[in-house]
Amino acid sequence: MFDTSDTICAISTAAGAGWRAIVRLSGPRAIEIVEDLFRPFSGRLAELGGFRWTDGIVSAGLSRHGGEQIKLPARAYVFRCPKSYTRQDLVELHVPGAIHAAGAVLDAMLAAGARRAEGGEFTARAFLSGRIDLSAAQAVADLIDSAGAAQARAAAAAACGQIFRICTQLAGELADALACVEAAIDLADQDIHLDQPATLAARLETLAGRIAMLAESADDMPDESACPRVVLAGRPNVGKSSLLNALAQTDRAIVSALAGTTRDVLNCPISISNVGLLLLDAAGFAAPKNDLDGAAQSAAERAVASADLVLLVVDAGAGGGDLRADREILDRVGHANPRASVILLANKLDLAADQPGTIEKIKSTAGVETLGVSALTGLGLDELRTAIANHLHLGAWRGGETLALHKRQKACLIDASRSASAAAEILKNSGEVADDAELVAIELREAMASIGKITGQVGTEEILARIFSRFCVGK
């Protein structure tokens, strides 16, 4: 899937301006190529040892200015084979984060003979060289995509070998059981003591239970990088922007008594149940009066169509009032996005004289889950956060020591548990281990293979392609 014999390069920092940009190379010609572009203030780059850095000047052609050469201050970090991330010579050039600077350096590296890296190719080289196992490689992408501190801690633990160590221990115990079974085949006619079937069956039953419990108790690590999207929708001036500010605990949106202040879709990342999600505030649904209004309505409908959860906001300040317009918007939301859940928020409840009666009136009219809230006083916001977490199945991450697994990894553990349990069932009905040793050995090898699919000791092109397709270029 990946060619590891050439030298690859990529920009490893996010697009756009910043304090610095990083351009990374890995491969047999990494140092040679950087030496052609980079002049240290003292000494030669080739003489620098691993895990060392030096400052200097990098020269590159700025293609959009007719090939004009630019000179940039730079710092080169050198990581020598085989102790680098990829187990190849690896160099990082850190340059000023001007928009075109890193691109000019990358173009110069490509012109010098490097190849543009594919997404995840640096981590793929680390995996293929044996530097990390597959669970750690997958955790690198999880760490990049993590939404919330607890998820980041779980991904970091996996990247540092937590899952690999667990799998190694489980595979070792399965291997010990397989050794006993194979000994019964090879040494059945020898006068030596062998494990009794009941004893070995009990060991395997206990092991199968532990593996199953591990899969069931682990948190779910999402397979997709995109965080859940929650959209605030409703008529103009019902308090959507105020609710966004209240949930985000910052003044992200402009709030005004003038209806229609929000014309574009605003977005703000927030955290609920220690999991990150994207909260969007769409323009109010109303009959468009001009082209600008029409564009705002179209943007609002696109936001609703992309939502995982829609919070339809209505004005409860006047006791609920006439909800026919809100019913029409509810129908538009359902038409635009039939898969998304909808929670109806009776906002401005602090202005309602009869709060319980107002909520019941709105709920009976709308026919969907309804919560009373006040963006001004904070009334009902804790209940709203709980409802959002329940609808999106966010779950409460339990802390830094929590094991988090992908669905594929959990499925592998469940398969291993079933195979180990099947081996135990066979042994329960055996007079001697040797009587059914070959059938038991098949089940135990299946269990070990399932564990190996997590660490990459047993793998397929399909699994590798699916995992590394999540990576961005430069990682």
Side-chain angles (χ1 to χ4, degrees):
M1 185 172 66
F2 291 106
D3 179 10
T4 62
S5 63
D6 56 358
T7 299
I8 56 174
C9 63
I11 299 171
S12 297
T13 40
W19 285 105
R20 72 169 67 185
I22 301 173
V23 187
R24 178 181 293 159
L25 297 94
S26 176
R29 294 189 59 218
I31 292 175
E32 173 193 339
I33 289 173
V34 174
E35 272 203 310
D36 287 342
L37 313 174
F38 176 77
R39 295 289 178 269
F41 291 138
S42 62
R44 293 183 59 233
L45 193 71
E47 297 169 351
L48 206 63
F51 296 93
R52 298 290 186 272
W53 60 266
T54 183
D55 288 327
I57 299 293
V58 64
S59 301
L62 202 57
S63 57
R64 64 169 49 218
H65 291 114
E68 175 187 348
Q69 286 285 313
I70 59 170
K71 296 183 182 296
L72 300 167
R75 175 170 290 181
Y77 289 83
V78 176
F79 306 89
R80 293 282 187 172
C81 167
K83 294 185 178 181
S84 71
Y85 181 61
T86 58
R87 283 192 170 165
Q88 298 176 319
D89 284 340
L90 189 148
V91 183
E92 288 185 355
L93 276 180
H94 292 221
V95 299
I99 292 176
H100 303 298
V105 173
L106 180 66
D107 288 342
M109 292 175 177
L110 295 171
R115 173 174 63 81
R116 191 185 300 269
E118 301 290 336
E121 194 162 1
F122 288 93
T123 300
R125 290 194 175 196
F127 165 67
L128 295 171
S129 68
R131 174 70 174 77
I132 58 177
D133 77 297
L134 190 60
S135 66
Q138 195 163 6
V140 173
D142 296 333
L143 186 58
I144 294 170
D145 295 336
S146 58
Q151 199 174 105
R153 288 194 295 269
C160 291
Q162 178 195 39
I163 296 174
F164 175 77
R165 289 190 292 272
I166 291 171
C167 289
T168 299
Q169 179 181 349
L170 295 176
E173 293 183 50
L174 288 167
D176 287 343
L178 181 59
C180 294
V181 172
E182 292 182 336
I185 298 174
D186 297 335
L187 305 174
D189 57 345
Q190 303 294 318
D191 188 19
I192 60 173
H193 175 73
L194 297 173
D195 284 341
Q196 293 300 308
T199 303
L200 190 54
R203 282 172 51 193
L204 288 175
E205 270 195 328
T206 301
L207 180 57
R210 281 172 45 210
I211 296 173
M213 181 61 69
L214 189 67
E216 292 168 5
S217 62
D219 273 327
D220 293 319
M221 183 65 76
D223 292 318
E224 301 295 331
S225 60
C227 59
R229 296 165 68 90
V230 179
V231 174
L232 290 158
R235 291 184 289 115
N237 213 32
V238 293
K240 299 186 299 298
S241 297
S242 296
L243 277 170
L244 180 138
N245 290 340
L247 288 169
Q249 298 180 324
T250 184
D251 291 334
R252 173 65 180 86
I254 297 173
V255 177
S256 170
L258 178 64
T261 302
T262 301
R263 306 307 295 262
D264 202 354
V265 178
L266 302 178
N267 64 77
C268 182
I270 66 171
S271 178
I272 292 180
S273 294
N274 219 3
V275 176
L277 55 86
L278 193 64
L279 184 63
L280 296 96
D281 175 18
F285 282 90
K289 299 177 182 178
N290 50 47
D291 290 344
L292 181 59
D293 284 347
Q297 294 295 298
S298 296
E301 290 196 357
R302 288 194 299 271
V304 167
S306 71
D308 299 292
L309 173 65
V310 177
L311 305 179
L312 180 57
V313 186
V314 303
D315 188 346
D322 187 353
L323 298 173
R324 284 179 296 180
D326 299 298
R327 278 288 325 174
E328 291 176 4
I329 295 174
L330 181 61
D331 292 339
R332 289 175 66 180
V333 166
H335 179 73
N337 190 344
R339 67 175 178 81
S341 299
V342 178
I343 302 176
L344 195 145
L345 301 182
N347 191 29
K348 304 183 184 180
L349 202 60
D350 54 293
L351 301 179
D354 179 11
Q355 293 182 359
T358 298
I359 296 174
E360 287 304 316
K361 174 185 176 183
I362 294 173
K363 183 176 182 179
S364 62
T365 304
V368 296
E369 180 180 355
T370 303
L371 296 176
V373 296
S374 169
L376 180 63
T377 66
L379 175 69
L381 292 187
D382 287 340
E383 291 80 0
L384 174 57
R385 292 185 180 96
T386 300
I388 291 172
N390 291 337
H391 275 270
L392 296 177
H393 308 290
L394 300 182
W397 284 67
R398 292 182 291 276
E401 299 302 317
T402 298
L403 177 68
L405 298 172
H406 289 272
K407 289 181 181 178
R408 183 189 68 85
Q409 293 169 327
K410 287 189 175 184
C412 289
L413 287 176
I414 291 170
D415 287 344
S417 174
R418 288 172 178 166
S419 295
S421 182
E425 286 299 318
I426 294 171
L427 286 167
K428 286 179 183 178
N429 299 315
S430 301
E432 298 290 340
V433 173
D435 294 345
D436 298 293
E438 292 184 357
L439 294 176
V440 174
I442 290 172
E443 295 293 348
L444 292 178
R445 291 192 187 99
E446 284 291 327
M448 293 175 65
S450 297
I451 298 293
K453 290 177 183 177
I454 299 175
T455 60
Q457 293 168 312
V458 176
T460 66
E461 288 286 321
E462 179 186 357
I463 291 173
L464 298 180
R466 186 163 64 246
I467 289 173
F468 285 108
S469 67
R470 295 180 55 210
F471 279 75
C472 53
V473 174
K475 305 301 180 186

